[in-house]
């Protein structure tokens, strides 16, 4: 197992920024992607953003233009810069390493890696 360590999260006012970090211990395959999901109370876990080794990115429609994902391949770290936060962004955010071709899938796979989750709360 390659553990994921998430840093960031917390309480922020609506309209404010927040940045999440996720570091992966160990090597990941070149066909993998890193990114984030989130789960709000009473809701299913949903895709937020992902970035591949090639730096190709993909975002959920709900965060496009507000969130930016980036990675440092040398450090095996992925970042999520969240701007113009809204109360509906409140959720537990999970870092993930998954196969790039199915990163956004809702189905679980044996080779998925997940962080422990970090709480993001946006007050109105």
């Amino acid at each position: 197992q390659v553990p994921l360590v998430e840093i960031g999260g917390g309480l922020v006012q609506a309209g404010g920024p927040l940045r999440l970090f996720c570091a992966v211990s160990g090597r990941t395959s070149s066909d993998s992607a890193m990114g984030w999901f989130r789960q709000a109370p009473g809701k299913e876990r949903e895709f937020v953003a992902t970035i591949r080794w090639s730096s190709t990115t993909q975002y959920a429609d709900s965060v496009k233009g507000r969130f930016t994902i980036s990675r440092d391949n040398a450090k095996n770290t992925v970042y999520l810069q969240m701007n113009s936060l809204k109360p509906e962004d409140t959720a537990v955010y999970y870092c993930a390493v998954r196969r790039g071709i199915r990163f956004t899938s809702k189905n679980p796979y044996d080779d998925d890696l997940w962080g422990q989750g970090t709480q993001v709360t946006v007050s109105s």
Side-chain angles (χ1 to χ4, degrees):
Q1 288 287 326
V2 179
L4 308 180
V5 177
E6 298 160 342
I7 302 173
L11 174 64
V12 64
Q13 286 190 331
L18 207 58
R19 197 177 197 202
L20 304 181
F21 302 79
C22 177
V24 182
S25 297
R27 297 182 61 86
T28 57
S29 64
S30 59
D31 64 350
S32 66
M34 299 179 69
W36 301 87
F37 283 71
R38 67 186 181 186
Q39 188 167 17
K43 294 187 177 181
E44 290 186 346
R45 188 173 297 190
E46 64 175 5
F47 165 73
V48 175
T50 183
I51 184 168
R52 297 198 181 195
W53 274 97
S54 63
S55 295
T56 301
T57 60
Q58 184 178 353
Y59 296 92
D61 288 342
S62 59
V63 306
K64 280 181 181 177
R66 300 187 298 121
F67 290 12
T68 302
I69 190 169
S70 59
R71 67 186 292 168
D72 184 332
N73 289 335
K75 297 180 180 179
N76 244 4
T77 301
V78 63
Y79 309 92
L80 186 67
Q81 178 66 43
M82 304 184 291
N83 296 328
S84 303
L85 282 162
K86 304 175 181 180
E88 50 264 44
D89 293 319
T90 296
V92 177
Y93 283 69
Y94 295 91
C95 179
V97 176
R98 310 182 80 189
R99 288 286 183 92
I101 57 173
R102 47 176 165 80
F103 189 93
T104 62
S105 173
K106 292 184 178 181
N107 298 323
Y109 293 91
D110 291 343
D111 57 354
D112 290 343
L113 299 175
W114 294 94
Q116 78 281 2
T118 185
Q119 178 69 46
V120 172
T121 302
V122 184
S123 63
S124 57

